[in-house]
Amino acid sequence: MDDLIRDTEKLDAEHGPGIIRRKLGTRAPARTRAVVVRPTDRADIEPRRTRTQQAAHIVGTVVHSAPMAKTGHALDDWGRALARVLWTIGAGWKSWAVRFMGALTYKTHKTTIAALHQTGQHDAATRALDSLTKAKADRRAHLLSLPKQVLMAGAVLGLIVAVLLIVNLLISLAAQLTPNTSPECGDPDPAVRATCPDWDFLSWWAFVNDVIQCIAWAVQWAAILGAWAALPILLIWSWREGDRAVNAPKFLLTKAQAAALGADITPHKAVLMLRDLGIAPLRKAIEVMMATDTAGGMLSPIRVAGCGTEWDARLPSGVSTEEIMKRRRKAAENVERHEHELFMSVPAPRTIRFWAADPGELDKPLPPSPLVLDETLKADTYGGRVPWGQTMRGDLGALSLHQRHILLTGLSNQGKTAALRALALWWALDKVTELRVADLKGIGDWHMFGGLTTVLIEGPADEHVVAATEMLEGVVAEMERRLGALDKEEFPNGVTRDLARRKGSGFHPLAAIVDEAQVAFMCPVIGLDKRPYGGTKATSRFFNAARKILNQGRAVNVTLWLGTQDPTNENLPKLIREAAHIRGCLPIGTEEQARMAIGAKAVDGGGAPHKLRPGIDKGVLVLNGEGFELEPGQSSVIVRTHYIDGDAATDVARRAIELRGGPVDPNGGGAAAEDATVVDFLADVAEVMDGEDRVTTTTLLKLLAQESPAEYGAATFDAKALSARLRAEGVEPRKLSGGRMYVLAEDVDAAFRRRDTAA
């Protein structure tokens, strides 16, 4: 890639910017056969070039192959350019011949019928067969009527000649018989008499002869000029036809052209990628469609998506998506990409969604996290989302943590702790939350949480595992207290946002975090009660505590977050990993490990953390999609997480401590959460509506962000969070005129009345 950039910069410096683009357009290299996507098939994907652009393409192909550095390279480029032009002209003649023979033998109709049968569209094939029969009958009728038409044309021409002869004969006789009465004819002066128009029979026909000679002279010169211009015009037309039909082979391209050729994803390249995957039914179906110029119909519009290109491919009958997914490496190389630069998913039956990264884009660093850049940012664990990173499409990787257990896995030193710590930092920016952390690595990755946690354990020794186990057992005790204290009649829908943030309620969000959890499961220590702390059996204290939290904790705002290296049954029991809602995996060794990490459904749907590059794709997570807004049929999402280093994490933790009014009391049991100031969302809505009868949800979102950026900032409070908060308060947005969503003042007033009555 670096060589390509240097070559492109060199050409730009010597011949002006964009030379590669002018010489190549957006064409792709031909492999065995070319796919022609007509404007009527894929006009929204690959617009045709204008005549001016094509002429510039011809001139640029020859002129811009001038000497660039050394004479040898210049001669080589001139030779390639000339050979490329001649090859394209020859391809144009061949294309004309193929098209002529196709029209002569009804090839288009026949291949269309075959393609429709191949794809199972038998009714359409029957209609196409009727169209073929009608076309044959029309041609036969035309050929039978052709002699009659020739005779009719000859008769019309003869009639025109006869009429002209008769008219000229009448005019010449009239000129002969009509006496000339012009004054000049009777003038005594011979000079004046010479100007007398003396028309007679012979003089008229002499005039007609002169006119015919002038016309013959004009026709002769037009034929001469046409003969001289015919050859270059024919060459240009044949070049245009060849350039339209096929692409020059790679051996006729310069090195810079050949290198730049794979930068764009075109319909041509996307179809050839599928054809050359080595799947016989797919290849056969595509070749039938190629013969009818309908291959582009299996593709959706090719669109830019973040730092890459995205498109869908509808597979023909008889080809499964699983067959395509198994050939990821070949598919990537067929579109000039590395395996890690192509991702596939199954959004619908018989449909594959491809996303190909622009070369080198995945190696570029992400910008700093909004947690670091925005010092006024606050969190809301109920309606907000973590600005965790970016998806491959370039969208914000916003994750909802509300009542969700988390499991992050991956190889060592791939960014697992940093990703988990980023979630904890955002969680801490909601001042009603509580954190209990056990870092079983113990090298200081979580030291900045000293003033934010009610429990902080750091160390890999057995005594640290014992403390971590007791921490989880304490969380279980808190969970059971909440389960017993929750009034099921007053709160039939569980812990609401108001209850969680109410002072002294005891139902604030509580997250227990265990980093390097495999250390706990592998711990051999046995307690005084003869029960092991570690292990994966039912007698394991750590296993039992984790299992209880995962089973019942979510209902009362208690969640468990685990980070581990190897999600095998020995390091992470199935009951534990299957119970997590959010399951993410960084680069990992095998597909089997990937299935254990994020689930078989996510892997079968295209998730492939085992294809990520260890050491290069640090911080890149493949997740099962829980907590993200996914498109229908999508079963996984890839997120490039923002890296927050130790110093930046310490600054964010300091802001969280200031937000809480000071360090958390380790013995307070969540006292910091109970002392938090409750935000009255309904009051904020009523205030920004300012007496208006109705306000659109879009306007309301902007007004809330202006009123309180820290509470309703765009980074954590979006349209979906607004709708969720409104519905939680009993205010349902309504669709009124123009299809827009409105919030009515009467609905807000009714919510106030219901709340006052309940109080």
Side-chain angles (χ1 to χ4, degrees), residues 130-184:
D130 295 338
S131 176
L132 173 60
T133 304
K134 184 177 182 300
K136 288 182 177 180
D138 291 344
R139 179 180 291 184
R140 178 179 175 81
H142 178 70
L143 291 176
L144 291 175
S145 64
L146 188 59
K148 183 178 179 180
Q149 293 176 0
V150 172
L151 291 176
M152 287 293 295
V156 171
L157 181 61
L159 180 61
I160 293 174
V161 172
V163 170
L164 290 175
L165 286 174
I166 292 172
V167 170
N168 279 282
L169 180 61
L170 293 175
I171 293 175
S172 62
L173 289 175
Q176 180 68 32
L177 298 176
T178 302
N180 198 338
T181 59
S182 178
E184 291 86 354

Side-chain angles (χ1 to χ4, degrees), residues 471-547:
M471 179 191 80
L472 288 191
E473 290 175 340
V475 173
V476 171
E478 169 65 12
M479 176 191 73
E480 292 174 344
R481 182 198 66 78
R482 295 185 181 196
L483 288 170
L486 183 65
D487 189 337
K488 277 74 174 179
E489 294 184 359
E490 183 179 358
F491 301 100
N493 296 321
V495 181
T496 64
R497 184 178 187 278
D498 285 341
L499 176 62
R501 305 182 76 86
R502 185 181 303 171
K503 184 177 181 180
S505 69
F507 288 94
H508 56 274
L510 167 60
I513 303 175
V514 181
D515 193 13
E516 304 295 343
Q518 76 278 358
V519 176
F521 285 109
M522 293 187 294
C523 179
V525 175
I526 298 177
L528 297 177
D529 57 357
K530 305 301 181 181
R531 293 175 58 197
Y533 282 90
T536 60
K537 296 181 179 180
T539 55
S540 168
R541 292 176 61 178
F542 186 89
F543 170 76
N544 269 290
R547 181 179 58 81

Side-chain angles (χ1 to χ4, degrees), residues 518-588:
Q518 76 278 358
V519 176
F521 285 109
M522 293 187 294
C523 179
V525 175
I526 298 177
L528 297 177
D529 57 357
K530 305 301 181 181
R531 293 175 58 197
Y533 282 90
T536 60
K537 296 181 179 180
T539 55
S540 168
R541 292 176 61 178
F542 186 89
F543 170 76
N544 269 290
R547 181 179 58 81
K548 289 179 180 179
I549 297 172
L550 292 170
N551 286 343
Q552 297 177 294
R554 184 199 63 80
V556 287
N557 260 1
V558 177
T559 53
L560 177 62
W561 302 0
L562 299 176
T564 183
Q565 289 186 13
D566 190 1
T568 61
N569 291 326
E570 293 75 19
N571 291 340
L572 191 65
K574 181 178 180 180
L575 289 176
I576 300 297
R577 61 174 186 262
E578 295 290 340
H581 302 108
I582 299 169
R583 299 171 66 180
C585 187
L586 292 111
I588 204 164

Side-chain angles (χ1 to χ4, degrees), residues 4 7 73 76-77 80 250 253-261:
L4 170 58
D7 291 342
H73 292 292
D76 180 65
D77 288 343
R80 288 178 184 271
K250 278 190 175 181
L253 303 177
T254 64
K255 291 182 179 180
Q257 289 173 334
L261 201 56

Side-chain angles (χ1 to χ4, degrees), residues 99-115:
R99 291 171 64 183
F100 174 76
M101 291 303 298
L104 193 63
T105 59
Y106 302 99
K107 182 179 180 181
T108 301
H109 291 82
K110 293 177 181 178
T111 50
T112 299
I113 294 170

Side-chain angles (χ1 to χ4, degrees), residues 465-758:
V465 174
V466 171
T469 302
E470 293 173 349
M471 179 191 80
L472 288 191
E473 290 175 340
V475 173
V476 171
E478 169 65 12
M479 176 191 73
E480 292 174 344
R481 182 198 66 78
R482 295 185 181 196
L483 288 170
L486 183 65
D487 189 337
K488 277 74 174 179
E489 294 184 359
E490 183 179 358
F491 301 100
N493 296 321
V495 181
T496 64
R497 184 178 187 278
D498 285 341
L499 176 62
R501 305 182 76 86
R502 185 181 303 171
K503 184 177 181 180
S505 69
F507 288 94
H508 56 274
L510 167 60
I513 303 175
V514 181
D515 193 13
E516 304 295 343
Q518 76 278 358
V519 176
F521 285 109
M522 293 187 294
C523 179
V525 175
I526 298 177
L528 297 177
D529 57 357
K530 305 301 181 181
R531 293 175 58 197
Y533 282 90
T536 60
K537 296 181 179 180
T539 55
S540 168
R541 292 176 61 178
F542 186 89
F543 170 76
N544 269 290
R547 181 179 58 81
K548 289 179 180 179
I549 297 172
L550 292 170
N551 286 343
Q552 297 177 294
R554 184 199 63 80
V556 287
N557 260 1
V558 177
T559 53
L560 177 62
W561 302 0
L562 299 176
T564 183
Q565 289 186 13
D566 190 1
T568 61
N569 291 326
E570 293 75 19
N571 291 340
L572 191 65
K574 181 178 180 180
L575 289 176
I576 300 297
R577 61 174 186 262
E578 295 290 340
H581 302 108
I582 299 169
R583 299 171 66 180
C585 187
L586 292 111
I588 204 164
T590 65
E591 181 177 341
E592 181 182 3
Q593 291 175 311
R595 289 180 178 275
M596 292 182 178
I598 62 176
K601 180 181 179 181
V603 174
D604 292 338
H610 54 290
K611 299 296 185 181
L612 298 174
R613 301 163 296 170
I616 300 177
D617 293 326
K618 284 187 176 182
V620 179
L621 277 159
V622 181
L623 298 113
N624 63 342
E626 178 74 21
F628 289 93
E629 295 181 358
L630 301 182
E631 297 183 9
Q634 187 177 356
S635 60
S636 64
V637 63
I638 302 172
V639 176
R640 302 172 66 201
T641 58
H642 295 290
Y643 175 65
I644 304 177
D645 62 21
D647 293 337
T650 301
D651 290 339
V652 176
R654 175 186 50 78
R655 296 203 324 258
I657 292 173
E658 293 174 355
L659 183 66
R660 295 165 182 261
V664 174
D665 181 4
N667 300 314
E674 295 174 355
D675 293 339
T677 302
V678 177
V679 176
D680 192 336
F681 175 69
L682 269 182
D684 291 342
V685 171
E687 181 178 354
V688 299
M689 288 184 69
D690 195 23
E692 295 290 335
D693 292 335
R694 63 182 187 179
V695 175
T696 65
T697 54
T698 304
T699 302
L700 182 60
L701 190 63
K702 294 179 180 178
L703 292 174
L704 287 171
Q706 293 173 1
E707 180 70 18
S708 179
E711 189 70 26
Y712 307 112
T716 58
F717 195 78
D718 55 11
K720 187 172 182 180
L722 172 64
S723 299
R725 290 284 292 276
L726 287 170
R727 292 188 177 96
E729 297 288 352
V731 180
E732 185 70 28
R734 303 187 188 184
K735 183 180 290 187
L736 301 179
S737 59
R740 304 174 68 185
M741 300 299 292
Y742 285 85
V743 175
L744 304 186
E746 60 186 46
D747 293 340
V748 177
D749 293 339
F752 271 118
R753 289 194 297 272
R754 285 194 300 270
R755 191 171 71 179
D756 294 342
T757 301

Side-chain angles (χ1 to χ4, degrees), residues 4-16 19 68-70 73:
L4 170 58
I5 295 173
R6 287 194 294 271
D7 291 342
T8 304
E9 292 174 347
K10 182 178 180 181
L11 288 173
D12 286 348
E14 296 180 0
H15 301 289
I19 178 173
M68 293 181 289
K70 297 181 180 180
H73 292 292

